[in-house]
Short mmCIF file of all heavy atoms in Angstrom, two decimals:
data_model
loop_
_atom_site.label_atom_id
_atom_site.label_comp_id
_atom_site.label_asym_id
_atom_site.label_seq_id
_atom_site.Cartn_x
_atom_site.Cartn_y
_atom_site.Cartn_z
N TRP X 1 102.87 105.94 105.47
CA TRP X 1 102.03 104.85 105.94
C TRP X 1 101.75 105.01 107.42
O TRP X 1 102.63 105.38 108.20
CB TRP X 1 102.71 103.49 105.71
CG TRP X 1 102.82 103.08 104.28
CD1 TRP X 1 103.86 103.30 103.44
CD2 TRP X 1 101.83 102.37 103.53
NE1 TRP X 1 103.59 102.77 102.20
CE2 TRP X 1 102.36 102.19 102.23
CE3 TRP X 1 100.57 101.86 103.82
CZ2 TRP X 1 101.65 101.52 101.23
CZ3 TRP X 1 99.86 101.20 102.83
CH2 TRP X 1 100.41 101.03 101.55
N PHE X 2 100.51 104.72 107.78
CA PHE X 2 100.08 104.65 109.16
C PHE X 2 99.43 103.30 109.40
O PHE X 2 99.11 102.58 108.45
CB PHE X 2 99.08 105.77 109.48
CG PHE X 2 99.67 107.15 109.50
CD1 PHE X 2 100.05 107.78 108.33
CD2 PHE X 2 99.84 107.82 110.70
CE1 PHE X 2 100.59 109.05 108.34
CE2 PHE X 2 100.38 109.10 110.73
CZ PHE X 2 100.76 109.71 109.55
N ARG X 3 99.21 102.98 110.66
CA ARG X 3 98.49 101.76 110.97
C ARG X 3 97.63 101.98 112.20
O ARG X 3 97.92 102.83 113.03
CB ARG X 3 99.44 100.58 111.18
CG ARG X 3 100.33 100.70 112.40
CD ARG X 3 101.34 99.55 112.42
NE ARG X 3 102.18 99.58 113.60
CZ ARG X 3 103.20 98.77 113.81
NH1 ARG X 3 103.51 97.85 112.89
NH2 ARG X 3 103.92 98.87 114.91
N GLN X 4 96.59 101.18 112.30
CA GLN X 4 95.69 101.29 113.43
C GLN X 4 95.18 99.90 113.81
O GLN X 4 94.54 99.24 113.00
CB GLN X 4 94.51 102.21 113.12
CG GLN X 4 93.64 102.52 114.32
CD GLN X 4 92.70 103.68 114.07
OE1 GLN X 4 92.39 104.01 112.92
NE2 GLN X 4 92.26 104.32 115.12
N ALA X 5 95.47 99.50 115.01
CA ALA X 5 94.98 98.25 115.55
C ALA X 5 93.68 98.50 116.31
O ALA X 5 93.43 99.62 116.76
CB ALA X 5 96.03 97.62 116.48
N PRO X 6 92.85 97.47 116.48
CA PRO X 6 91.60 97.65 117.21
C PRO X 6 91.83 98.23 118.60
O PRO X 6 92.67 97.75 119.36
CB PRO X 6 91.03 96.23 117.28
CG PRO X 6 91.60 95.54 116.09
CD PRO X 6 92.99 96.10 115.95
N GLY X 7 91.09 99.27 118.92
CA GLY X 7 91.20 99.90 120.22
C GLY X 7 92.42 100.77 120.40
O GLY X 7 92.64 101.30 121.49
N LYS X 8 93.21 100.95 119.35
CA LYS X 8 94.42 101.73 119.44
C LYS X 8 94.32 102.98 118.57
O LYS X 8 93.51 103.07 117.66
CB LYS X 8 95.63 100.91 118.99
CG LYS X 8 95.86 99.63 119.76
CD LYS X 8 96.25 99.91 121.20
CE LYS X 8 96.58 98.61 121.92
NZ LYS X 8 96.97 98.86 123.33
N GLU X 9 95.17 103.94 118.89
CA GLU X 9 95.25 105.17 118.11
C GLU X 9 95.99 104.91 116.81
O GLU X 9 96.91 104.09 116.75
CB GLU X 9 95.97 106.23 118.95
CG GLU X 9 96.08 107.59 118.29
CD GLU X 9 96.71 108.61 119.22
OE1 GLU X 9 96.13 108.86 120.29
OE2 GLU X 9 97.79 109.13 118.88
N ARG X 10 95.58 105.60 115.77
CA ARG X 10 96.29 105.49 114.51
C ARG X 10 97.71 106.04 114.68
O ARG X 10 97.91 107.16 115.16
CB ARG X 10 95.56 106.25 113.41
CG ARG X 10 96.13 106.03 112.03
CD ARG X 10 95.22 106.59 110.94
NE ARG X 10 93.93 105.93 110.92
CZ ARG X 10 93.01 106.13 109.99
NH1 ARG X 10 93.24 106.97 108.98
NH2 ARG X 10 91.84 105.49 110.07
N GLU X 11 98.70 105.25 114.28
CA GLU X 11 100.08 105.62 114.52
C GLU X 11 100.89 105.68 113.24
O GLU X 11 100.64 104.94 112.28
CB GLU X 11 100.74 104.66 115.52
CG GLU X 11 100.89 103.24 115.01
CD GLU X 11 101.68 102.35 115.96
OE1 GLU X 11 102.27 102.87 116.92
OE2 GLU X 11 101.71 101.12 115.74
N PHE X 12 101.88 106.53 113.27
CA PHE X 12 102.79 106.69 112.16
C PHE X 12 103.67 105.46 112.00
O PHE X 12 104.13 104.89 112.99
CB PHE X 12 103.65 107.93 112.40
CG PHE X 12 104.83 108.04 111.48
CD1 PHE X 12 104.66 108.37 110.14
CD2 PHE X 12 106.11 107.82 111.95
CE1 PHE X 12 105.74 108.48 109.29
CE2 PHE X 12 107.20 107.92 111.11
CZ PHE X 12 107.01 108.26 109.78
N VAL X 13 103.91 105.07 110.76
CA VAL X 13 104.78 103.94 110.46
C VAL X 13 106.02 104.39 109.69
O VAL X 13 107.15 104.13 110.10
CB VAL X 13 104.04 102.85 109.68
CG1 VAL X 13 105.00 101.73 109.28
CG2 VAL X 13 102.88 102.30 110.49
N ALA X 14 105.81 105.04 108.56
CA ALA X 14 106.92 105.44 107.71
C ALA X 14 106.48 106.55 106.77
O ALA X 14 105.30 106.69 106.46
CB ALA X 14 107.45 104.25 106.91
N ALA X 15 107.44 107.33 106.30
CA ALA X 15 107.17 108.39 105.34
C ALA X 15 108.35 108.54 104.39
O ALA X 15 109.47 108.13 104.70
CB ALA X 15 106.89 109.72 106.06
N ILE X 16 108.07 109.16 103.25
CA ILE X 16 109.10 109.32 102.23
C ILE X 16 108.86 110.59 101.44
O ILE X 16 107.71 110.94 101.14
CB ILE X 16 109.13 108.07 101.31
CG1 ILE X 16 110.32 108.13 100.35
CG2 ILE X 16 107.81 107.92 100.56
CD1 ILE X 16 110.55 106.82 99.61
N ARG X 17 109.93 111.28 101.13
CA ARG X 17 109.84 112.45 100.27
C ARG X 17 109.73 112.05 98.80
O ARG X 17 109.96 110.89 98.44
CB ARG X 17 111.04 113.37 100.47
CG ARG X 17 111.09 114.05 101.83
CD ARG X 17 112.17 115.13 101.84
NE ARG X 17 112.26 115.79 103.13
CZ ARG X 17 111.51 116.82 103.51
NH1 ARG X 17 110.59 117.30 102.67
NH2 ARG X 17 111.67 117.35 104.70
N TRP X 18 109.41 113.01 97.95
CA TRP X 18 109.26 112.74 96.53
C TRP X 18 110.52 112.13 95.93
O TRP X 18 110.44 111.22 95.09
CB TRP X 18 108.90 114.03 95.80
CG TRP X 18 108.94 113.91 94.31
CD1 TRP X 18 107.99 113.37 93.50
CD2 TRP X 18 110.01 114.34 93.45
NE1 TRP X 18 108.38 113.45 92.18
CE2 TRP X 18 109.62 114.04 92.12
CE3 TRP X 18 111.24 114.95 93.68
CZ2 TRP X 18 110.42 114.32 91.03
CZ3 TRP X 18 112.05 115.24 92.58
CH2 TRP X 18 111.64 114.93 91.28
N SER X 19 111.67 112.63 96.32
CA SER X 19 112.93 112.15 95.76
C SER X 19 113.23 110.70 96.14
O SER X 19 114.01 110.04 95.46
CB SER X 19 114.08 113.04 96.22
OG SER X 19 114.30 112.90 97.61
N GLY X 20 112.65 110.25 97.23
CA GLY X 20 112.93 108.91 97.73
C GLY X 20 114.21 108.81 98.52
O GLY X 20 114.52 107.73 99.05
N THR X 21 114.96 109.90 98.61
CA THR X 21 116.24 109.87 99.30
C THR X 21 116.14 110.16 100.79
O THR X 21 117.12 109.99 101.52
CB THR X 21 117.22 110.88 98.67
OG1 THR X 21 116.67 112.19 98.73
CG2 THR X 21 117.48 110.52 97.22
N ASN X 22 114.98 110.62 101.23
CA ASN X 22 114.75 110.89 102.64
C ASN X 22 113.59 110.04 103.12
O ASN X 22 112.47 110.19 102.63
CB ASN X 22 114.46 112.36 102.89
CG ASN X 22 115.64 113.25 102.55
OD1 ASN X 22 115.71 113.81 101.46
ND2 ASN X 22 116.56 113.38 103.49
N THR X 23 113.86 109.18 104.05
CA THR X 23 112.84 108.31 104.61
C THR X 23 112.80 108.46 106.12
O THR X 23 113.79 108.83 106.76
CB THR X 23 113.08 106.84 104.24
OG1 THR X 23 114.39 106.46 104.67
CG2 THR X 23 112.97 106.65 102.73
N TYR X 24 111.65 108.15 106.70
CA TYR X 24 111.41 108.32 108.12
C TYR X 24 110.64 107.11 108.62
O TYR X 24 109.72 106.62 107.95
CB TYR X 24 110.61 109.60 108.38
CG TYR X 24 111.19 110.81 107.68
CD1 TYR X 24 110.88 111.07 106.35
CD2 TYR X 24 112.04 111.67 108.34
CE1 TYR X 24 111.42 112.17 105.69
CE2 TYR X 24 112.58 112.78 107.69
CZ TYR X 24 112.26 113.02 106.37
OH TYR X 24 112.80 114.11 105.73
N TYR X 25 111.00 106.64 109.81
CA TYR X 25 110.39 105.44 110.34
C TYR X 25 110.07 105.60 111.82
O TYR X 25 110.81 106.25 112.57
CB TYR X 25 111.30 104.23 110.19
CG TYR X 25 111.61 103.87 108.76
CD1 TYR X 25 112.76 104.34 108.14
CD2 TYR X 25 110.76 103.06 108.03
CE1 TYR X 25 113.05 104.01 106.83
CE2 TYR X 25 111.03 102.73 106.72
CZ TYR X 25 112.18 103.21 106.12
OH TYR X 25 112.46 102.87 104.82
N ALA X 26 108.98 104.97 112.23
CA ALA X 26 108.72 104.83 113.64
C ALA X 26 109.74 103.87 114.24
O ALA X 26 110.20 102.94 113.58
CB ALA X 26 107.31 104.31 113.88
N ASP X 27 110.08 104.11 115.50
CA ASP X 27 111.05 103.24 116.15
C ASP X 27 110.62 101.78 116.16
O ASP X 27 111.46 100.88 116.10
CB ASP X 27 111.30 103.71 117.59
CG ASP X 27 112.09 105.00 117.65
OD1 ASP X 27 112.76 105.35 116.66
OD2 ASP X 27 112.04 105.67 118.70
N SER X 28 109.33 101.54 116.22
CA SER X 28 108.82 100.19 116.31
C SER X 28 109.05 99.36 115.05
O SER X 28 109.01 98.13 115.11
CB SER X 28 107.33 100.21 116.65
OG SER X 28 106.60 100.92 115.65
N VAL X 29 109.28 100.02 113.92
CA VAL X 29 109.47 99.30 112.66
C VAL X 29 110.84 99.52 112.06
O VAL X 29 111.18 98.88 111.05
CB VAL X 29 108.38 99.67 111.64
CG1 VAL X 29 107.00 99.47 112.23
CG2 VAL X 29 108.56 101.11 111.15
#
C-alpha cells in the first residue's frame, strides 16, 4: 500500500510477502 496527499509525493505505507509472514511498514504508521 502507498498513499498520496495533495501536493505530496506518493509514499510507501506497508508491504507484505505472499506467505504473509513478512510485513514491512513505514515508520509513520
Side-chain angles (χ1 to χ4, degrees):
W1 290 93
F2 290 72
R3 66 187 183 186
Q4 188 166 22
K8 302 293 185 180
E9 183 176 299
R10 188 169 298 187
E11 66 174 350
F12 167 73
V13 175
I16 187 169
R17 292 191 181 274
W18 170 80
S19 68
T21 59
N22 296 96
T23 56
Y24 310 84
Y25 298 95
D27 288 340
S28 59
V29 306

